[in-house]
Amino acid sequence: MTTFNALVVRESEPGNPKTAAAAIEQLTDDDLPSYDDVEHVTVDIAHSSLNYKDGMALTGKGRIIRSFPMVPGIDFAGTVASSESANFSEGDAVILTGWSVGERYWGGYAQRQRVDASWLVRQPAGLTSAQAMGIGTAGLTAMMCVLALEDGGITPADGPIVVTGAAGGVGSVAVALLASLGFEVTAVTGRPEQHDYLRELGATAFLTRDEMSEAPKPLEAETWAGAVDTVGSTMLAKVIAQTKHSGVVTACGLAGGVDLPSTVMPFILRGVRLQGIDSVMASTAVRDAAWARLVSDLPAALLDQITEVIPMTELLERGPAIMAGQVRGRVVVDPNA
Ligand code: NDP
């Protein structure tokens, strides 16, 4: 029987998540989950990635893992090994992001995984599995933010776009995408040492995390045509207070907190629109459209600059690092290294 490696989080005291710990284990296909009443696809995973939520799962923060034992990893790309679904055949290149995989259902930190066929999308032509996971959940979310700005009618002629948490995964892809589409991009970062990196991705102006974390007045000078916010809390409130009339603010993250200490003034006096972005439960049609745009609009050279590849064994140290805001860009995980 073939065995494969997986990173498994187990509770040493069942029912007590505080006793959970992660370790690489050898599993067989018999260990993989079987879901009732759905068509399964078993995937040989080529790459996964490290997202903020994975950091939470690996460090036990926010109770992201809903059942134990769990194989974390909220996304992966790989090749279909076997399929019960007519939509996928052996050898197809596929991508999975979201659907609570790595939280409720076993995820990408393994050489092999079995999932519900309806969670998979086809890997678009023009992307390798490593590039697909260089983008990953974070990049898909950044693309969905850009699509929401476009749906809101925002064009480069309307003025600058501000990206918060810019040196992180979502932020880096958002900066690169927006700059490639001709937008003027201001990056908010707590890491001034990453200015050169962000400039290479296309940012032309910078603000510090500290100055954007000061409590805003209800309305501040109209500055932004739009925003991609990965931070939430006071920084999102500040961005909203500085958004121009009819501007669009996309909110996708909570790296700075889950609250939103804002007022209604930007909404009722400037018609500012606040658009929430959720990639986890997005429809397959939305995902396919976003992946197609990522292939056409995200230059491969910029994706390379954003991406670092690590072996699965390094996840135990990188999980805490992403929670501490110390990871730059995107980290691709190679479970076969
Ligand atoms: P990263 O950790 O890669 O990026 C987050 C960035 O936010 C950091 O790099 C840092 O950027 C900044 N940051 C970190 N801590 C703080 C803080 N306390 N105050 C202000 N800024 C801070 O994570 P991801 O890019 O993977 O995810 C970003 C956010 O988006 C997360 O909250 C994640 O949960 C969310 N997300 C949501 C999705 C959705 O579908 N809605 C999907 C994917 C992610 P810098 O150093 O430049 O300041």
Side-chain angles (χ1 to χ4, degrees):
M1 186 177 292
T2 321
T3 60
F4 57 88
N5 292 331
L7 185 88
V8 187
V9 182
R10 291 185 190 276
E11 292 173 323
S12 56
E13 209 180 279
N16 183 358
K18 286 189 182 147
T19 65
I24 306 259
E25 296 183 12
Q26 286 216 315
L27 304 180
T28 69
D29 278 359
D30 287 347
D31 297 311
L32 291 176
S34 56
Y35 306 98
D36 293 337
D37 304 326
V38 299
E39 292 173 331
H40 301 151
V41 175
T42 303
V43 179
D44 284 327
I45 297 178
H47 294 94
S48 180
S49 83
L50 176 66
N51 294 273
Y52 190 85
K53 243 185 201 174
D54 298 314
M56 294 172 85
L58 290 164
T59 58
K61 288 215 174 101
R63 300 277 157 88
I64 278 291
I65 296 181
R66 299 306 180 89
S67 73
F68 294 90
M70 175 57 62
V71 174
I74 65 168
D75 49 23
F76 63 76
T79 306
V80 171
S82 65
S83 171
E84 289 178 357
S85 163
N87 292 333
F88 296 100
S89 308
E90 194 181 325
D92 285 350
V94 291
I95 299 174
L96 185 144
T97 65
W99 301 114
S100 298
V101 166
E103 304 176 55
R104 285 181 194 278
Y105 311 108
W106 280 20
Y109 295 161
Q111 292 177 300
R112 204 167 162 91
Q113 195 51 275
R114 185 180 293 143
V115 294
D116 182 333
S118 69
W119 297 339
L120 295 169
V121 297
R122 277 172 202 291
Q123 186 172 293
L127 283 185
T128 64
S129 62
Q131 287 172 322
M133 283 300 104
I135 295 167
T137 303
L140 182 71
T141 305
M143 188 73 244
M144 287 175 63
C145 291
V146 173
L147 291 171
L149 294 175
E150 290 180 354
D151 285 349
I154 307 301
T155 69
D158 294 317
I161 308 294
V162 65
V163 176
T164 65
V170 177
S172 294
V173 179
V175 169
L177 277 171
L178 288 162
S180 299
L181 290 166
F183 286 95
E184 187 186 329
V185 181
T186 295
V188 181
T189 180
R191 291 180 278 179
E193 68 275 18
Q194 299 301 344
H195 283 189
D196 285 346
Y197 161 77
L198 289 164
R199 210 174 274 118
E200 282 166 26
L201 298 184
T204 51
F206 300 92
L207 291 168
T208 66
R209 186 188 297 180
D210 286 349
E211 65 191 302
M212 287 303 282
S213 299
E214 284 166 13
K217 297 181 193 136
L219 291 171
E220 299 198 345
E222 292 183 66
T223 309
W224 317 116
V228 173
D229 178 68
T230 71
V231 171
S233 193
T234 313
M235 196 175 298
L236 175 55
K238 186 95 169 164
V239 164
I240 292 169
Q242 296 178 343
T243 297
K244 292 183 184 191
H245 196 282
S246 304
V248 176
V249 175
T250 58
C252 69
L254 45 62
V258 296
D259 58 332
L260 178 52
S262 184
T263 75
V264 297
M265 301 300 261
F267 306 113
I268 63 175
L269 294 182
R270 290 182 179 163
V272 168
R273 285 161 289 172
L274 178 59
Q275 178 64 57
I277 301 295
D278 171 39
S279 66
V280 176
M281 302 304 288
S283 70
T284 301
V286 167
R287 290 161 195 264
D288 284 339
W291 280 107
R293 283 288 304 271
L294 282 156
V295 173
S296 62
D297 296 354
L298 182 62
L302 292 187
L303 182 57
D304 277 354
Q305 266 173 285
I306 292 171
T307 309
E308 174 193 3
V309 184
I310 63 164
M312 194 158 70
T313 45
E314 240 178 73
L315 275 169
L316 295 180
E317 60 196 76
R318 290 307 191 92
I322 198 167
M323 296 313 293
Q326 290 163 353
V327 165
R328 181 180 93 173
R330 297 277 302 137
V331 175
V332 169
V333 178
D334 183 348
N336 304 300

